[in-house]
Amino acid sequence: MIYFDFAATTPMDYEAAEVYIKVATEIFGNTSSLHDIGGQAQTLLENCRKELAALLDVDKKGLYFTSGGSESNFLAIEALLSSPLKNGKHIIAGMAEHSSVHGVLTRLERLGYEITLLPFNSKGLIDQEQLINSIKPETILVALQHINSEIGTIQPIKEMAGFCKANRIHFHSDFVQSFGKINLKKITPIVSSFSFSGHKIYGPKGIGGVYLNPSIPWKPFFPDGSHESGFRPGTLNLPAIAAMTIAAQKIIRNMEEDLSKFKSKRKAFIEALEPIKNRVKVYQADDDSQLPTIIGMRITGIEGQWLMLECNRLGFAISTGSACQIGMQTPAKVTKALGLNDEEATEFIRISLGHSSKIEDIVRLGETIVGIVQSFKSVSVILRN
Ligand SMILES: Cc1ncc(COP(=O)(O)O)c(C=O)c1O
């Protein structure tokens, strides 16, 4: 089986896994314990925090570890709302945000907050004019993801966060799909907070973090927590933190080189679909606003779930969108943001590339999809006769 679902999760890097085992078995102390074994764990924890802060060009004082991107989104939004820059109860977010953002927004709506959700334009981007026009005097928070997990479009966070900052509005961004994939150093100083996760970058699952600008005097969501300065309670998962740090160092070191390789691989996949190009619609932005590893598309007349199962039968693991929606029978959120109708939404599929994706396998996947679509056409002709 060849894996093309790296936006859902990645296999753990071998070196990161070795570090995980070493820390779990040798540096196992509780970082809060006062004895030397605890102290050794605490030193490693702070070294990891320092290293991640350097990779992201942020102050380590604002970096908190969590159980992953979902919890980070929740806690960051709650923290920002505990310390708004002005009075008001209006929040703006993207329609295609991850379900963890929508989950906290639903909770906040019940508490009396007014939520405005912004769609994508035809290129899968938030319209900046629309964002500006949606801002009200009582807008206190804007939450917009950096890279969409289903189509890979890169939002212009720098401009939007800068505008919010100038208007005394907190800006949170979900960096889960951009951390380790593109350079974040130019935008980390502008946002109020961002979230990241270990398992999208060949680190362990169940680990991630939040950066909250240290100038924000947030109040804890969970009462009486002692770990992470009260930001999140619970004994820290130090093996996972150390392994995520190694994975982050490795992926960021090779980021630029990987990006150019992925661009040609994406091109090769799309070219392989040439024989059915009249039926293929790839949702993408211009090159400089597009992560090459995520290809979100649909093929007219072919149900995405059926195509995914056919690909699976033929040895390729692809996806119909966000893995977090399995079992929910709802189409990928991005389809709503893009304004697709119900039928078009069911046709959506996502192919996402990773380090082990070889160009010959990518081309073979494209040819396999062409074969499936062409044989589906002949089957339906036979059925109609
Ligand atoms: C954009 C985005 N945000 C948040 C998450 C959630 O991250 P985690 O699985 O670490 O909770 C995901 C994972 O699918 C994601 O793609």
Side-chain angles (χ1 to χ4, degrees):
M1 171 73 63
I2 302 170
Y3 188 69
F4 285 109
D5 199 11
F6 290 88
T9 196
T10 57
M12 201 158 150
D13 175 82
Y14 204 83
E15 224 180 296
E18 279 179 342
V19 166
Y20 185 99
I21 293 171
K22 191 167 172 59
V23 176
T25 54
E26 293 175 26
I27 312 177
F28 59 86
N30 187 320
T31 54
S32 289
S33 296
L34 297 177
H35 45 65
D36 283 0
I37 291 176
Q40 192 191 17
Q42 175 68 17
T43 304
L44 176 60
L45 172 69
E46 291 315 317
N47 283 344
C48 291
R49 202 189 310 276
K50 191 167 152 209
E51 178 57 23
L52 285 168
L55 290 171
L56 289 160
D57 206 10
V58 294
D59 183 344
K60 86 180 186 75
K61 282 207 271 323
L63 213 50
Y64 305 100
F65 293 108
T66 67
S67 69
S70 302
E71 189 186 34
S72 294
N73 282 331
F74 184 98
L75 290 177
I77 289 174
E78 290 289 350
L80 295 178
L81 293 180
S82 76
S83 181
L85 296 170
K86 55 186 160 95
N87 288 332
K89 278 197 147 188
H90 180 232
I91 299 171
I92 300 173
M95 225 178 235
E97 296 299 309
H98 185 257
S99 54
S100 54
V101 172
H102 286 293
V104 64
L105 294 180
T106 305
R107 193 186 98 80
L108 293 166
E109 205 165 19
R110 274 191 235 117
L111 295 176
Y113 284 85
E114 185 198 349
I115 315 289
T116 300
L117 295 180
L118 299 180
F120 280 166
N121 62 20
S122 59
K123 292 202 161 159
L125 298 172
I126 296 281
D127 184 300
Q128 293 188 61
E129 276 297 306
Q130 194 174 7
L131 168 65
I132 293 168
N133 292 338
S134 306
I135 288 173
K136 306 178 183 194
E138 52 287 4
T139 307
I140 52 168
L141 171 69
V142 171
L144 292 173
Q145 65 196 183
H146 191 197
I147 293 188
N148 180 264
S149 57
E150 288 152 339
I151 58 172
T153 49
I154 307 171
Q155 304 300 326
I157 294 298
K158 193 169 173 212
E159 292 76 9
M160 298 191 293
F163 181 84
C164 288
K165 196 171 183 180
N167 287 278
R168 301 183 53 72
I169 299 167
H170 279 317
F171 190 94
H172 169 72
S173 191
D174 177 339
F175 282 4
V176 168
Q177 293 288 349
S178 57
F179 175 51
K181 312 291 169 55
I182 59 174
N183 192 348
L184 299 175
K185 286 188 173 181
K186 285 203 172 77
I187 51 174
T188 49
I190 312 168
V191 298
S192 313
S193 63
F194 64 80
S195 48
F196 59 96
S197 177
H199 74 105
K200 311 282 185 181
I201 59 156
Y202 307 86
K205 294 167 183 47
I207 191 71
V210 166
Y211 172 76
L212 259 172
N213 188 308
S215 68
I216 301 169
W218 55 272
K219 293 178 197 72
F221 181 79
F222 296 113
D224 301 329
S226 58
H227 293 274
E228 295 299 86
S229 313
F231 186 75
R232 178 184 185 261
T235 304
L236 283 153
N237 187 351
L238 189 58
I241 291 169
M244 174 172 70
T245 307
I246 294 292
Q249 283 174 329
K250 283 184 84 169
I251 199 167
I252 290 174
R253 200 182 306 136
N254 300 321
M255 201 162 53
E256 295 302 328
E257 201 184 315
D258 286 343
L259 260 179
S260 74
K261 283 188 202 149
F262 283 131
K263 275 186 190 161
S264 35
K265 290 179 180 176
R266 177 187 184 91
K267 195 161 165 272
F269 174 74
I270 294 174
E271 279 170 8
L273 299 176
E274 189 74 9
I276 53 164
K277 71 169 185 222
N278 294 342
R279 294 174 67 183
V280 173
K281 168 79 185 148
V282 179
Y283 295 95
Q284 58 187 349
D286 297 338
D287 253 16
D288 54 354
S289 299
Q290 179 66 48
L291 187 73
T293 50
I294 300 182
I295 304 154
M297 56 178 269
R298 66 182 180 87
I299 301 170
T300 312
I302 305 284
E303 199 190 319
Q305 199 162 351
W306 180 78
L307 184 54
M308 184 271 288
L309 290 171
E310 279 298 283
C311 284
N312 188 58
R313 192 174 62 78
L314 296 167
F316 298 96
I318 68 163
S319 147
T320 53
S322 173
C324 312
Q325 283 167 260
I326 278 176
M328 285 169 70
Q329 300 299 316
T330 48
K333 262 182 234 70
V334 74
T335 59
K336 206 169 156 210
L338 286 164
L340 304 194
N341 65 34
D342 288 351
E343 196 179 332
E344 290 167 338
T346 61
E347 293 167 351
F348 187 81
I349 55 164
R350 176 185 70 188
I351 284 101
S352 47
L353 313 178
H355 288 157
S356 57
S357 306
K358 297 197 197 93
I359 195 137
E360 55 271 29
D361 292 335
I362 294 168
V363 171
R364 217 151 55 77
L365 171 66
E367 290 166 354
T368 302
I369 291 176
V370 170
I372 295 171
V373 171
Q374 288 176 337
S375 61
F376 179 76
K377 197 171 66 186
S378 38
V379 169
S380 45
V381 169
I382 293 165
L383 287 178
R384 237 181 274 134
N385 290 342

PDB file of all heavy atoms in Angstrom, residues 213-245:
ATOM      1  N   ASN A 213       1.718  35.321  22.548  1.00  0.00           N
ATOM      2  CA  ASN A 213       2.620  36.450  22.752  1.00  0.00           C
ATOM      3  C   ASN A 213       2.709  36.764  24.253  1.00  0.00           C
ATOM      4  O   ASN A 213       1.685  36.994  24.899  1.00  0.00           O
ATOM      5  CB  ASN A 213       2.085  37.655  21.968  1.00  0.00           C
ATOM      6  CG  ASN A 213       3.078  38.787  21.979  1.00  0.00           C
ATOM      7  OD1 ASN A 213       3.550  39.188  23.048  1.00  0.00           O
ATOM      8  ND2 ASN A 213       3.406  39.272  20.807  1.00  0.00           N
ATOM      9  N   PRO A 214       3.925  36.739  24.824  1.00  0.00           N
ATOM     10  CA  PRO A 214       4.048  36.894  26.285  1.00  0.00           C
ATOM     11  C   PRO A 214       3.510  38.222  26.822  1.00  0.00           C
ATOM     12  O   PRO A 214       3.321  38.359  28.033  1.00  0.00           O
ATOM     13  CB  PRO A 214       5.554  36.777  26.538  1.00  0.00           C
ATOM     14  CG  PRO A 214       6.127  36.189  25.311  1.00  0.00           C
ATOM     15  CD  PRO A 214       5.221  36.504  24.164  1.00  0.00           C
ATOM     16  N   SER A 215       3.257  39.187  25.951  1.00  0.00           N
ATOM     17  CA  SER A 215       2.715  40.464  26.456  1.00  0.00           C
ATOM     18  C   SER A 215       1.221  40.339  26.805  1.00  0.00           C
ATOM     19  O   SER A 215       0.647  41.256  27.379  1.00  0.00           O
ATOM     20  CB  SER A 215       2.912  41.565  25.400  1.00  0.00           C
ATOM     21  OG  SER A 215       2.079  41.289  24.289  1.00  0.00           O
ATOM     22  N   ILE A 216       0.601  39.198  26.453  1.00  0.00           N
ATOM     23  CA  ILE A 216      -0.842  39.040  26.713  1.00  0.00           C
ATOM     24  C   ILE A 216      -1.051  38.418  28.103  1.00  0.00           C
ATOM     25  O   ILE A 216      -0.613  37.292  28.354  1.00  0.00           O
ATOM     26  CB  ILE A 216      -1.496  38.153  25.615  1.00  0.00           C
ATOM     27  CG1 ILE A 216      -1.292  38.805  24.241  1.00  0.00           C
ATOM     28  CG2 ILE A 216      -2.979  37.913  25.913  1.00  0.00           C
ATOM     29  CD1 ILE A 216      -1.650  37.910  23.064  1.00  0.00           C
ATOM     30  N   PRO A 217      -1.724  39.142  29.008  1.00  0.00           N
ATOM     31  CA  PRO A 217      -1.900  38.602  30.381  1.00  0.00           C
ATOM     32  C   PRO A 217      -3.089  37.641  30.466  1.00  0.00           C
ATOM     33  O   PRO A 217      -4.107  37.936  31.084  1.00  0.00           O
ATOM     34  CB  PRO A 217      -2.145  39.871  31.208  1.00  0.00           C
ATOM     35  CG  PRO A 217      -2.732  40.849  30.243  1.00  0.00           C
ATOM     36  CD  PRO A 217      -2.285  40.498  28.855  1.00  0.00           C
ATOM     37  N   TRP A 218      -2.968  36.452  29.847  1.00  0.00           N
ATOM     38  CA  TRP A 218      -4.062  35.469  29.785  1.00  0.00           C
ATOM     39  C   TRP A 218      -4.375  34.891  31.157  1.00  0.00           C
ATOM     40  O   TRP A 218      -3.520  34.879  32.049  1.00  0.00           O
ATOM     41  CB  TRP A 218      -3.703  34.344  28.820  1.00  0.00           C
ATOM     42  CG  TRP A 218      -2.396  33.684  29.141  1.00  0.00           C
ATOM     43  CD1 TRP A 218      -1.161  34.064  28.702  1.00  0.00           C
ATOM     44  CD2 TRP A 218      -2.182  32.574  30.026  1.00  0.00           C
ATOM     45  NE1 TRP A 218      -0.183  33.256  29.235  1.00  0.00           N
ATOM     46  CE2 TRP A 218      -0.785  32.321  30.058  1.00  0.00           C
ATOM     47  CE3 TRP A 218      -3.012  31.759  30.783  1.00  0.00           C
ATOM     48  CZ2 TRP A 218      -0.219  31.303  30.812  1.00  0.00           C
ATOM     49  CZ3 TRP A 218      -2.450  30.734  31.540  1.00  0.00           C
ATOM     50  CH2 TRP A 218      -1.074  30.520  31.558  1.00  0.00           C
ATOM     51  N   LYS A 219      -5.632  34.401  31.254  1.00  0.00           N
ATOM     52  CA  LYS A 219      -6.008  33.691  32.495  1.00  0.00           C
ATOM     53  C   LYS A 219      -6.210  32.225  32.148  1.00  0.00           C
ATOM     54  O   LYS A 219      -6.721  31.910  31.074  1.00  0.00           O
ATOM     55  CB  LYS A 219      -7.299  34.276  33.068  1.00  0.00           C
ATOM     56  CG  LYS A 219      -7.124  35.698  33.569  1.00  0.00           C
ATOM     57  CD  LYS A 219      -8.425  36.275  34.093  1.00  0.00           C
ATOM     58  CE  LYS A 219      -8.334  37.788  34.193  1.00  0.00           C
ATOM     59  NZ  LYS A 219      -8.343  38.461  32.867  1.00  0.00           N
ATOM     60  N   PRO A 220      -5.843  31.299  33.054  1.00  0.00           N
ATOM     61  CA  PRO A 220      -5.942  29.870  32.710  1.00  0.00           C
ATOM     62  C   PRO A 220      -7.383  29.411  32.490  1.00  0.00           C
ATOM     63  O   PRO A 220      -8.283  29.874  33.179  1.00  0.00           O
ATOM     64  CB  PRO A 220      -5.343  29.159  33.918  1.00  0.00           C
ATOM     65  CG  PRO A 220      -4.916  30.196  34.866  1.00  0.00           C
ATOM     66  CD  PRO A 220      -5.302  31.538  34.387  1.00  0.00           C
ATOM     67  N   PHE A 221      -7.573  28.506  31.521  1.00  0.00           N
ATOM     68  CA  PHE A 221      -8.905  27.926  31.293  1.00  0.00           C
ATOM     69  C   PHE A 221      -9.163  26.867  32.367  1.00  0.00           C
ATOM     70  O   PHE A 221     -10.240  26.804  32.937  1.00  0.00           O
ATOM     71  CB  PHE A 221      -8.962  27.310  29.887  1.00  0.00           C
ATOM     72  CG  PHE A 221     -10.309  26.709  29.574  1.00  0.00           C
ATOM     73  CD1 PHE A 221     -11.370  27.525  29.194  1.00  0.00           C
ATOM     74  CD2 PHE A 221     -10.518  25.345  29.680  1.00  0.00           C
ATOM     75  CE1 PHE A 221     -12.618  26.986  28.927  1.00  0.00           C
ATOM     76  CE2 PHE A 221     -11.758  24.793  29.409  1.00  0.00           C
ATOM     77  CZ  PHE A 221     -12.825  25.620  29.028  1.00  0.00           C
ATOM     78  N   PHE A 222      -8.152  26.018  32.616  1.00  0.00           N
ATOM     79  CA  PHE A 222      -8.283  24.990  33.654  1.00  0.00           C
ATOM     80  C   PHE A 222      -7.804  25.584  34.980  1.00  0.00           C
ATOM     81  O   PHE A 222      -6.718  26.154  35.036  1.00  0.00           O
ATOM     82  CB  PHE A 222      -7.407  23.766  33.325  1.00  0.00           C
ATOM     83  CG  PHE A 222      -7.824  23.045  32.079  1.00  0.00           C
ATOM     84  CD1 PHE A 222      -7.006  23.036  30.958  1.00  0.00           C
ATOM     85  CD2 PHE A 222      -9.036  22.375  32.024  1.00  0.00           C
ATOM     86  CE1 PHE A 222      -7.384  22.357  29.801  1.00  0.00           C
ATOM     87  CE2 PHE A 222      -9.425  21.696  30.871  1.00  0.00           C
ATOM     88  CZ  PHE A 222      -8.602  21.691  29.766  1.00  0.00           C
ATOM     89  N   PRO A 223      -8.584  25.418  36.042  1.00  0.00           N
ATOM     90  CA  PRO A 223      -8.163  26.019  37.315  1.00  0.00           C
ATOM     91  C   PRO A 223      -7.007  25.250  37.966  1.00  0.00           C
ATOM     92  O   PRO A 223      -6.879  24.038  37.804  1.00  0.00           O
ATOM     93  CB  PRO A 223      -9.438  25.912  38.182  1.00  0.00           C
ATOM     94  CG  PRO A 223     -10.240  24.811  37.562  1.00  0.00           C
ATOM     95  CD  PRO A 223      -9.867  24.725  36.111  1.00  0.00           C
ATOM     96  N   ASP A 224      -6.193  25.967  38.678  1.00  0.00           N
ATOM     97  CA  ASP A 224      -5.172  25.388  39.576  1.00  0.00           C
ATOM     98  C   ASP A 224      -4.154  24.459  38.918  1.00  0.00           C
ATOM     99  O   ASP A 224      -3.648  23.544  39.578  1.00  0.00           O
ATOM    100  CB  ASP A 224      -5.854  24.631  40.743  1.00  0.00           C
ATOM    101  CG  ASP A 224      -6.745  25.567  41.550  1.00  0.00           C
ATOM    102  OD1 ASP A 224      -6.398  26.758  41.617  1.00  0.00           O
ATOM    103  OD2 ASP A 224      -7.777  25.103  42.057  1.00  0.00           O
ATOM    104  N   GLY A 225      -3.858  24.627  37.646  1.00  0.00           N
ATOM    105  CA  GLY A 225      -2.828  23.804  37.003  1.00  0.00           C
ATOM    106  C   GLY A 225      -1.457  24.325  37.408  1.00  0.00           C
ATOM    107  O   GLY A 225      -1.261  25.534  37.519  1.00  0.00           O
ATOM    108  N   SER A 226      -0.523  23.400  37.638  1.00  0.00           N
ATOM    109  CA  SER A 226       0.807  23.883  38.023  1.00  0.00           C
ATOM    110  C   SER A 226       1.799  23.769  36.870  1.00  0.00           C
ATOM    111  O   SER A 226       2.743  24.546  36.753  1.00  0.00           O
ATOM    112  CB  SER A 226       1.317  23.106  39.236  1.00  0.00           C
ATOM    113  OG  SER A 226       1.345  21.731  38.934  1.00  0.00           O
ATOM    114  N   HIS A 227       1.586  22.790  35.949  1.00  0.00           N
ATOM    115  CA  HIS A 227       2.511  22.643  34.825  1.00  0.00           C
ATOM    116  C   HIS A 227       2.283  23.767  33.816  1.00  0.00           C
ATOM    117  O   HIS A 227       1.209  24.361  33.750  1.00  0.00           O
ATOM    118  CB  HIS A 227       2.274  21.299  34.125  1.00  0.00           C
ATOM    119  CG  HIS A 227       2.648  20.125  34.979  1.00  0.00           C
ATOM    120  ND1 HIS A 227       3.923  19.630  35.038  1.00  0.00           N
ATOM    121  CD2 HIS A 227       1.911  19.360  35.814  1.00  0.00           C
ATOM    122  CE1 HIS A 227       3.956  18.593  35.869  1.00  0.00           C
ATOM    123  NE2 HIS A 227       2.747  18.409  36.355  1.00  0.00           N
ATOM    124  N   GLU A 228       3.298  23.997  33.006  1.00  0.00           N
ATOM    125  CA  GLU A 228       3.210  24.989  31.924  1.00  0.00           C
ATOM    126  C   GLU A 228       2.639  26.328  32.405  1.00  0.00           C
ATOM    127  O   GLU A 228       1.731  26.913  31.790  1.00  0.00           O
ATOM    128  CB  GLU A 228       2.395  24.439  30.745  1.00  0.00           C
ATOM    129  CG  GLU A 228       3.045  23.250  30.045  1.00  0.00           C
ATOM    130  CD  GLU A 228       4.417  23.605  29.452  1.00  0.00           C
ATOM    131  OE1 GLU A 228       5.414  23.513  30.222  1.00  0.00           O
ATOM    132  OE2 GLU A 228       4.500  23.962  28.273  1.00  0.00           O
ATOM    133  N   SER A 229       3.113  26.804  33.521  1.00  0.00           N
ATOM    134  CA  SER A 229       2.691  28.076  34.143  1.00  0.00           C
ATOM    135  C   SER A 229       1.178  28.164  34.299  1.00  0.00           C
ATOM    136  O   SER A 229       0.609  29.252  34.243  1.00  0.00           O
ATOM    137  CB  SER A 229       3.180  29.272  33.311  1.00  0.00           C
ATOM    138  OG  SER A 229       4.517  29.126  32.968  1.00  0.00           O
ATOM    139  N   GLY A 230       0.527  27.013  34.409  1.00  0.00           N
ATOM    140  CA  GLY A 230      -0.931  27.005  34.585  1.00  0.00           C
ATOM    141  C   GLY A 230      -1.688  27.002  33.272  1.00  0.00           C
ATOM    142  O   GLY A 230      -2.916  26.925  33.258  1.00  0.00           O
ATOM    143  N   PHE A 231      -0.969  27.047  32.145  1.00  0.00           N
ATOM    144  CA  PHE A 231      -1.665  27.097  30.844  1.00  0.00           C
ATOM    145  C   PHE A 231      -2.386  25.784  30.571  1.00  0.00           C
ATOM    146  O   PHE A 231      -3.498  25.763  30.067  1.00  0.00           O
ATOM    147  CB  PHE A 231      -0.657  27.388  29.721  1.00  0.00           C
ATOM    148  CG  PHE A 231      -1.327  27.595  28.384  1.00  0.00           C
ATOM    149  CD1 PHE A 231      -2.001  28.777  28.109  1.00  0.00           C
ATOM    150  CD2 PHE A 231      -1.306  26.602  27.403  1.00  0.00           C
ATOM    151  CE1 PHE A 231      -2.638  28.965  26.895  1.00  0.00           C
ATOM    152  CE2 PHE A 231      -1.943  26.779  26.184  1.00  0.00           C
ATOM    153  CZ  PHE A 231      -2.607  27.975  25.930  1.00  0.00           C
ATOM    154  N   ARG A 232      -1.719  24.671  30.910  1.00  0.00           N
ATOM    155  CA  ARG A 232      -2.329  23.348  30.702  1.00  0.00           C
ATOM    156  C   ARG A 232      -1.886  22.430  31.837  1.00  0.00           C
ATOM    157  O   ARG A 232      -0.697  22.281  32.078  1.00  0.00           O
ATOM    158  CB  ARG A 232      -1.865  22.764  29.368  1.00  0.00           C
ATOM    159  CG  ARG A 232      -2.419  21.373  29.132  1.00  0.00           C
ATOM    160  CD  ARG A 232      -1.874  20.794  27.851  1.00  0.00           C
ATOM    161  NE  ARG A 232      -2.488  19.523  27.579  1.00  0.00           N
ATOM    162  CZ  ARG A 232      -1.930  18.344  27.862  1.00  0.00           C
ATOM    163  NH1 ARG A 232      -0.738  18.278  28.422  1.00  0.00           N
ATOM    164  NH2 ARG A 232      -2.561  17.233  27.583  1.00  0.00           N
ATOM    165  N   PRO A 233      -2.855  21.818  32.516  1.00  0.00           N
ATOM    166  CA  PRO A 233      -2.474  20.939  33.623  1.00  0.00           C
ATOM    167  C   PRO A 233      -2.008  19.582  33.110  1.00  0.00           C
ATOM    168  O   PRO A 233      -2.229  19.248  31.953  1.00  0.00           O
ATOM    169  CB  PRO A 233      -3.783  20.790  34.410  1.00  0.00           C
ATOM    170  CG  PRO A 233      -4.864  20.976  33.395  1.00  0.00           C
ATOM    171  CD  PRO A 233      -4.317  21.866  32.309  1.00  0.00           C
ATOM    172  N   GLY A 234      -1.414  18.805  33.951  1.00  0.00           N
ATOM    173  CA  GLY A 234      -1.029  17.433  33.582  1.00  0.00           C
ATOM    174  C   GLY A 234       0.465  17.289  33.415  1.00  0.00           C
ATOM    175  O   GLY A 234       1.136  18.193  32.894  1.00  0.00           O
ATOM    176  N   THR A 235       0.973  16.120  33.831  1.00  0.00           N
ATOM    177  CA  THR A 235       2.406  15.839  33.707  1.00  0.00           C
ATOM    178  C   THR A 235       2.808  15.886  32.241  1.00  0.00           C
ATOM    179  O   THR A 235       2.121  15.320  31.389  1.00  0.00           O
ATOM    180  CB  THR A 235       2.704  14.438  34.296  1.00  0.00           C
ATOM    181  OG1 THR A 235       2.237  14.438  35.635  1.00  0.00           O
ATOM    182  CG2 THR A 235       4.187  14.117  34.264  1.00  0.00           C
ATOM    183  N   LEU A 236       3.903  16.550  31.974  1.00  0.00           N
ATOM    184  CA  LEU A 236       4.288  16.753  30.566  1.00  0.00           C
ATOM    185  C   LEU A 236       4.798  15.472  29.922  1.00  0.00           C
ATOM    186  O   LEU A 236       5.490  14.669  30.554  1.00  0.00           O
ATOM    187  CB  LEU A 236       5.360  17.835  30.498  1.00  0.00           C
ATOM    188  CG  LEU A 236       4.745  19.226  30.654  1.00  0.00           C
ATOM    189  CD1 LEU A 236       5.735  20.201  31.233  1.00  0.00           C
ATOM    190  CD2 LEU A 236       4.216  19.717  29.330  1.00  0.00           C
ATOM    191  N   ASN A 237       4.455  15.315  28.648  1.00  0.00           N
ATOM    192  CA  ASN A 237       4.877  14.155  27.856  1.00  0.00           C
ATOM    193  C   ASN A 237       6.260  14.452  27.283  1.00  0.00           C
ATOM    194  O   ASN A 237       6.414  14.767  26.097  1.00  0.00           O
ATOM    195  CB  ASN A 237       3.839  13.921  26.753  1.00  0.00           C
ATOM    196  CG  ASN A 237       4.087  12.640  25.979  1.00  0.00           C
ATOM    197  OD1 ASN A 237       5.131  12.008  26.144  1.00  0.00           O
ATOM    198  ND2 ASN A 237       3.150  12.267  25.136  1.00  0.00           N
ATOM    199  N   LEU A 238       7.250  14.375  28.151  1.00  0.00           N
ATOM    200  CA  LEU A 238       8.607  14.781  27.751  1.00  0.00           C
ATOM    201  C   LEU A 238       9.183  13.947  26.604  1.00  0.00           C
ATOM    202  O   LEU A 238       9.816  14.511  25.700  1.00  0.00           O
ATOM    203  CB  LEU A 238       9.538  14.784  28.971  1.00  0.00           C
ATOM    204  CG  LEU A 238      10.915  15.399  28.747  1.00  0.00           C
ATOM    205  CD1 LEU A 238      10.840  16.842  28.268  1.00  0.00           C
ATOM    206  CD2 LEU A 238      11.756  15.319  30.021  1.00  0.00           C
ATOM    207  N   PRO A 239       8.983  12.609  26.587  1.00  0.00           N
ATOM    208  CA  PRO A 239       9.506  11.849  25.435  1.00  0.00           C
ATOM    209  C   PRO A 239       8.959  12.391  24.114  1.00  0.00           C
ATOM    210  O   PRO A 239       9.700  12.546  23.136  1.00  0.00           O
ATOM    211  CB  PRO A 239       9.006  10.418  25.693  1.00  0.00           C
ATOM    212  CG  PRO A 239       8.769  10.352  27.166  1.00  0.00           C
ATOM    213  CD  PRO A 239       8.333  11.729  27.580  1.00  0.00           C
ATOM    214  N   ALA A 240       7.670  12.702  24.096  1.00  0.00           N
ATOM    215  CA  ALA A 240       7.060  13.210  22.857  1.00  0.00           C
ATOM    216  C   ALA A 240       7.551  14.626  22.534  1.00  0.00           C
ATOM    217  O   ALA A 240       7.770  14.971  21.375  1.00  0.00           O
ATOM    218  CB  ALA A 240       5.541  13.185  22.978  1.00  0.00           C
ATOM    219  N   ILE A 241       7.752  15.430  23.555  1.00  0.00           N
ATOM    220  CA  ILE A 241       8.253  16.800  23.332  1.00  0.00           C
ATOM    221  C   ILE A 241       9.658  16.739  22.726  1.00  0.00           C
ATOM    222  O   ILE A 241       9.966  17.435  21.751  1.00  0.00           O
ATOM    223  CB  ILE A 241       8.249  17.604  24.663  1.00  0.00           C
ATOM    224  CG1 ILE A 241       6.800  17.870  25.103  1.00  0.00           C
ATOM    225  CG2 ILE A 241       9.026  18.923  24.514  1.00  0.00           C
ATOM    226  CD1 ILE A 241       6.658  18.413  26.522  1.00  0.00           C
ATOM    227  N   ALA A 242      10.503  15.872  23.281  1.00  0.00           N
ATOM    228  CA  ALA A 242      11.876  15.759  22.771  1.00  0.00           C
ATOM    229  C   ALA A 242      11.877  15.213  21.343  1.00  0.00           C
ATOM    230  O   ALA A 242      12.608  15.714  20.472  1.00  0.00           O
ATOM    231  CB  ALA A 242      12.692  14.848  23.693  1.00  0.00           C
ATOM    232  N   ALA A 243      11.028  14.206  21.099  1.00  0.00           N
ATOM    233  CA  ALA A 243      10.969  13.627  19.746  1.00  0.00           C
ATOM    234  C   ALA A 243      10.419  14.645  18.747  1.00  0.00           C
ATOM    235  O   ALA A 243      10.905  14.746  17.616  1.00  0.00           O
ATOM    236  CB  ALA A 243      10.106  12.371  19.765  1.00  0.00           C
ATOM    237  N   MET A 244       9.425  15.423  19.156  1.00  0.00           N
ATOM    238  CA  MET A 244       8.874  16.459  18.259  1.00  0.00           C
ATOM    239  C   MET A 244       9.961  17.507  17.949  1.00  0.00           C
ATOM    240  O   MET A 244      10.044  18.006  16.812  1.00  0.00           O
ATOM    241  CB  MET A 244       7.662  17.134  18.911  1.00  0.00           C
ATOM    242  CG  MET A 244       7.116  18.325  18.124  1.00  0.00           C
ATOM    243  SD  MET A 244       5.555  18.982  18.757  1.00  0.00           S
ATOM    244  CE  MET A 244       6.066  19.729  20.300  1.00  0.00           C
ATOM    245  N   THR A 245      10.763  17.829  18.942  1.00  0.00           N
ATOM    246  CA  THR A 245      11.815  18.838  18.731  1.00  0.00           C
ATOM    247  C   THR A 245      12.821  18.340  17.690  1.00  0.00           C
ATOM    248  O   THR A 245      13.217  19.084  16.780  1.00  0.00           O
ATOM    249  CB  THR A 245      12.518  19.165  20.072  1.00  0.00           C
ATOM    250  OG1 THR A 245      11.511  19.503  21.022  1.00  0.00           O
ATOM    251  CG2 THR A 245      13.497  20.314  19.935  1.00  0.00           C
TER     252      THR A 245
END
